[in-house]
Amino acid sequence: MTYTFAVPAADPVTATTHFLARLSFETDVSDVYADLTARVPGLVVVDSRGTAAWAQGHLPGAV
């Protein structure tokens, strides 16, 4: 079986550059946990979920 995609995969250098740049603006739960555990000064956790999800639970101190 052969698959054809409308947008071809990026070359490795372009992909690496893209994802490294994203990491300077985005994070994941393990990074947040590590920073909270390390008590990184000035850390601000922004929870961008909707009101209903916020009401179900959020990190203390999150905005």
Side-chain angles (χ1 to χ4, degrees):
M1 182 176 292
T2 302
Y3 294 99
T4 303
F5 297 100
V7 178
D11 67 88
V13 172
T14 301
T16 300
T17 302
H18 168 77
F19 288 110
L20 286 174
R22 279 186 63 177
L23 288 173
S24 66
F25 295 98
E26 298 176 8
T27 190
D28 63 22
V29 294
S30 63
D31 292 333
V32 173
Y33 176 79
D35 287 350
L36 288 171
T37 302
R39 299 187 185 277
V40 171
L43 177 66
V44 176
V45 177
V46 178
D47 187 334
S48 61
R49 298 172 304 145
T51 305
W54 174 272
Q56 288 179 345
H58 54 274
L59 290 172
V63 296

